[in-house]
Amino acid sequence: MKLDLNAKYQTSHEWVRPDGDQMVCGISDYAQNSLSDVVFIELPDVGKLLKQGDVFGTIESVKAASDLYMPLSGEIVEVNEAISDALQIINNDPYNKGWLIKFKPTNMVEWDKLLSGKDYKKAVEAEG
Amino acid sequence: MLLIPEPLLFELSSPGRTAFSLPTLDVPASPLPQELVREAVNLPEISELDLVRHYVHLSQKNFSIDTHFYPLGSCTMKYNPKVNETAAVMEGFNRSHPLQPEDMAQGNLALMYHLQEFLKEIAGFAGISLQPAAGAHGEFAGVLMMRAYHLARGDTRRTKILIPNSAHGTNPASVTMSGLEAVEIPSDERGNVDLATLQSQCDDTVVGLMLTNPNTLGLFEEHIEAVVKAVHDCGGLMYGDGANLNALLGIARPGDLGFDVMHFNLHKTFTTPHGGGGPGSGPVGVSERLRPFLPGPIVAKKANQESENTPYSLLLTPYFLTMPEQSIGRVKAFHGNFGMLVRAYTYIAMLGEEGLRQVSLNAVLNANYLKARLGKTFPVPYDRLCMHEFVARGDIVPGVHTMDIAKRLIDYGIHPPTVYFPLIVHEAMMIEPTETESKQTLDNFVEVLQRIVHQAQDEPDFLRTAPHSTPVNRLDEVAAARKPILCYKG
């Protein structure tokens, strides 16, 4: 399982890390591997205000469809247009080119509650 | 025969061929108005014999319960008795029209009335509507009734429906369709609803809980009373997903357990055609407090007030259609999929009380037998006595996935089990043998799976490209989903 140690995680398998004064978010390597080849993604409109834990989109593979959850509250400022025609990027490079959304966080207190890469790995391994 | 690919009708087409000939025109020809005439509609031109062969070839390639073992978990692919078809084609049924006046359709209404009564008795409910056309349609009707019940009491704060993560996948969709919010409840380590999380979510914004019992792990909810109590105590209602009713017939009644509403899948539990055929049928049953909200019309019977003055005509026509007082309205044109109601009625009437109970006992026995034999090879994460189905993991050989094993089963004339569902088990393989399979069939299934495990170890690539005995081999599902070609381009 590959991890980006600069990012924080939540047990629903999204990662998030600072990107200038914004946050960038995607799905973990473990998540892309469990889903297998991504075939569809639905991302939010720019400008949308979402709370931590809100559904910001849906991701679908031939195996399953899953909701995507906001790791922090914030306003969507950008979605990754480059992946819409090349969904395999999410599978090949989930932490970099395969990012999904960028947002302006509105409550950084929430950041402290997210899992470190190490703790996320433990949580995933405990899940089996 | 199975291996030969069948060309499309367009590929069989040759200009000028037809499968029909019209009689000589005996009236003056009347040309169509110019604006209605199309050019080049590009329909295939085929002779009658080629056309017959085409469809017979396709029918021979069909993989169905009448041709193969079909342990597709959650779908209850049991044998559909042929006597159902004999009843469904009786002239009185198949030549009637839904707009016929009630006094000329008493036989049909009587059948619907008695089916309503059967389902009430089987599941312990106060009222039934036969309208919904499928399971998820029944769910939708049920959720609308739950919402209407709260609104009718002026309780407008309730917007949440709680759904355990072991529920059927259609449940959250039905909630969203009804304009409500689905909230997921995790499972505990024994595959039950996590009670602590449930209790923390139970407040005055809860419309109700949708429980699949037995759940998609094939497990009976061990804390059913506590779950029902938590939901009822906060003013919520209990929805039962009856898709897994095949485990409970004559043993437990959802109404007695405290469920307020449940849909039946006649195409699962009650042997109406299913899977590429159908159509489905998903009646809903309700407790007394939801009875006024049932979708309608439903069939009622005039009270027996027979006296010397009762006109003879009234005695002959006791059945009539009626709209429940606070009905959520129609959810389907006419009276549901009536042909399916005839088949389900036939099945229930043929088996009777004791027969239906035996169905569930055998369904549970068959599933537990398979679990005991297969569990040694394929780990079962929530390993306790199962009901009509169980969920095992298929990823036992590194680099070989459940999907590879599932596809290889086709080469042995066995329909794959449901795979990758429920999501709470990795590489899930959900196996439901149903009660209609013999011990020999089940033993053969076990032996085939064991042979496939050896192949997975010895020649994994052969599994990754399976099936090998079909007209087309492994399909590229990823490309088909990412870049679908939806039109034939000759």
Side-chain angles (χ1 to χ4, degrees):
Chain A
M1 181 196 330
K2 277 183 252 161
L3 286 169
D4 174 357
L5 292 173
N6 296 320
K8 286 209 178 191
Y9 297 81
Q10 52 187 1
T11 50
S12 51
H13 308 294
E14 295 85 2
W15 58 262
V16 59
R17 69 168 178 256
D19 181 51
D21 59 349
Q22 300 173 358
M23 288 282 166
V24 57
C25 168
I27 63 165
S28 70
D29 180 59
Y30 175 81
Q32 71 76 17
N33 188 45
S34 314
L35 274 171
S36 77
D37 298 289
V38 176
V39 296
F40 177 76
I41 190 154
E42 195 174 9
L43 293 173
D45 292 335
V46 169
K48 195 162 186 187
L49 278 167
L50 291 163
K51 288 203 294 279
Q52 183 181 38
D54 281 355
V55 172
F56 73 78
T58 308
I59 190 162
E60 214 175 305
S61 72
V62 282
K63 274 161 76 169
S66 303
D67 284 333
L68 297 160
Y69 298 95
M70 283 296 275
L72 305 165
S73 306
E75 180 187 345
I76 307 293
V77 291
E78 194 182 342
V79 300
N80 190 352
E81 303 285 354
I83 54 173
S84 59
D85 271 342
L87 291 164
Q88 64 276 13
I89 297 172
I90 300 172
N91 292 107
N92 297 340
D93 192 6
Y95 295 113
N96 294 299
K97 286 187 187 145
W99 65 275
L100 303 178
I101 54 167
K102 291 185 181 174
F103 62 94
K104 212 183 287 168
T106 49
N107 180 8
M108 277 308 283
V109 176
E110 295 163 349
W111 172 259
D112 298 329
K113 293 182 205 149
L114 294 170
L115 299 174
S116 68
K118 243 170 71 186
D119 290 342
Y120 169 69
K121 189 168 181 232
K122 264 190 233 156
V124 167
E125 282 165 358
E127 212 180 90
Chain B
M1 186 55 76
L2 197 65
L3 266 171
I4 305 167
E6 181 63 22
L8 299 175
L9 284 175
F10 289 99
E11 291 160 355
L12 290 171
S13 178
S14 178
R17 286 195 191 150
T18 61
F20 65 91
S21 49
L22 294 175
T24 321
L25 195 62
D26 58 358
V27 291
S30 171
L32 286 170
Q34 203 50 46
E35 67 272 18
L36 295 181
V37 176
R38 288 178 301 177
E39 278 172 35
V41 284
N42 192 25
L43 294 175
E45 297 173 83
I46 299 167
S47 72
E48 181 172 329
L49 178 57
D50 288 343
L51 192 63
V52 166
R53 281 185 184 151
H54 176 74
Y55 285 109
V56 172
H57 289 165
L58 290 184
S59 75
Q60 288 169 329
K61 290 181 168 60
N62 198 11
F63 209 103
S64 71
I65 188 65
D66 283 352
T67 57
H68 298 92
F69 178 43
Y70 212 129
L72 189 65
S74 188
C75 294
T76 314
M77 301 305 287
K78 58 162 94 174
Y79 173 63
N80 298 169
K82 298 305 166 234
V83 66
N84 292 354
E85 302 308 310
T86 309
V89 298
M90 286 167 74
E91 281 199 349
F93 292 132
N94 81 353
R95 293 206 175 176
S96 57
H97 191 280
L99 290 179
Q100 237 166 271
E102 285 174 17
D103 60 355
M104 290 176 66
Q106 286 291 303
N108 297 21
L109 293 176
L111 180 132
M112 291 172 70
Y113 179 82
H114 289 292
L115 181 58
Q116 288 172 190
E117 294 298 306
F118 282 162
L119 296 179
K120 268 159 85 172
E121 172 66 24
I122 287 167
F125 285 119
I128 300 279
S129 170
L130 301 172
Q131 275 204 352
H137 195 197
E139 287 175 34
F140 178 62
V143 174
L144 288 184
M145 279 190 272
M146 288 159 73
R147 199 181 66 157
Y149 167 79
H150 292 302
L151 291 178
R153 295 159 62 245
D155 189 347
T156 54
R157 280 164 308 179
R158 296 181 184 269
T159 52
K160 280 195 315 198
I161 292 207
L162 311 177
I163 303 182
N165 61 4
S166 59
H168 274 132
T170 44
N171 291 182
S174 300
V175 169
T176 305
M177 281 282 287
S178 308
L180 299 169
E181 186 200 347
V183 177
E184 186 177 306
I185 307 289
S187 300
D188 68 15
E189 69 285 352
R190 285 182 61 79
N192 294 307
V193 173
D194 186 87
L195 269 183
T197 314
L198 172 65
Q199 279 154 352
S200 73
Q201 286 287 345
C202 281
D203 57 27
D204 63 0
T205 64
V206 169
V207 174
L209 173 94
M210 292 181 89
L211 192 71
T212 306
N213 188 35
N215 63 23
T216 55
L217 296 164
L219 301 176
F220 194 88
E221 172 59 54
E222 291 174 303
H223 309 126
I224 182 69
E225 286 168 321
V227 170
V228 172
K229 185 171 181 329
V231 173
H232 281 167
D233 281 355
C234 77
L237 296 165
M238 280 298 295
Y239 185 95
D241 184 315
N244 294 342
L245 189 63
N246 211 45
L248 301 181
L249 299 172
I251 294 162
R253 304 200 309 167
D256 298 342
L257 294 172
F259 285 90
D260 297 286
V261 49
M262 184 188 86
H263 77 264
F264 302 77
N265 296 70
L266 298 190
H267 48 281
K268 295 183 181 180
T269 320
F270 300 105
T271 63
T272 73
H274 182 195
S281 183
V284 271
V286 290
S287 61
E288 193 54 48
R289 57 177 166 169
L290 284 182
R291 205 190 39 74
F293 299 94
L294 276 173
I298 59 173
V299 182
K301 189 180 178 187
K302 285 171 196 152
N304 191 4
Q305 297 164 323
E306 197 176 336
S307 72
E308 346 177 319
N309 301 329
T310 311
Y312 186 59
S313 62
L314 194 64
L315 289 178
L316 285 179
T317 60
Y319 300 100
F320 63 101
L321 291 164
T322 176
M323 205 66 177
E325 311 90 86
Q326 290 163 280
S327 175
I328 58 163
R330 275 186 178 281
V331 295
K332 175 145 187 0
F334 301 126
H335 311 299
N337 285 326
F338 180 75
M340 298 305 129
L341 307 182
V342 178
R343 291 168 173 89
Y345 175 93
T346 307
Y347 180 70
I348 295 170
M350 295 281 298
L351 282 177
E353 230 168 274
E354 199 37 53
L356 286 176
R357 185 178 154 80
Q358 203 59 47
V359 161
S360 288
L361 292 176
N362 288 349
V364 172
L365 178 65
N366 275 1
N368 277 287
Y369 177 73
L370 275 186
K371 183 167 84 73
R373 287 208 62 192
L374 285 174
K376 295 183 199 118
T377 315
F378 297 94
V380 177
Y382 298 88
D383 194 5
R384 56 177 164 100
L385 196 69
C386 70
M387 300 298 287
H388 62 303
E389 66 190 1
F390 66 99
V391 179
R393 286 182 66 152
D395 55 336
I396 54 166
V397 177
V400 175
H401 292 282
T402 295
M403 185 62 86
D404 304 323
I405 292 170
K407 295 287 187 191
R408 181 69 178 136
L409 277 170
I410 297 171
D411 289 330
Y412 290 95
I414 294 171
H415 194 286
T418 298
V419 296
Y420 301 130
F421 194 84
L423 301 175
I424 48 178
V425 173
H426 290 286
E427 293 283 324
M429 205 162 60
M430 187 198 223
I431 299 169
E432 180 181 13
T434 83
E435 72 281 4
T436 52
E437 299 299 335
S438 67
K439 182 169 176 296
Q440 284 77 4
T441 303
L442 303 183
D443 286 337
N444 177 57
F445 178 54
V446 173
E447 280 150 31
V448 164
L449 273 172
Q450 280 162 351
R451 212 174 306 163
I452 292 174
V453 171
H454 288 304
Q455 289 167 2
Q457 287 154 344
D458 299 343
E459 33 183 353
D461 279 339
F462 192 63
L463 251 66
R464 289 192 200 107
T465 49
H468 300 282
S469 61
T470 45
V472 286
N473 297 344
R474 186 71 67 95
L475 299 172
D476 187 349
E477 292 175 38
V478 175
R482 281 184 185 160
K483 300 219 176 322
I485 300 166
L486 301 172
C487 294
Y488 173 72
K489 287 178 190 159

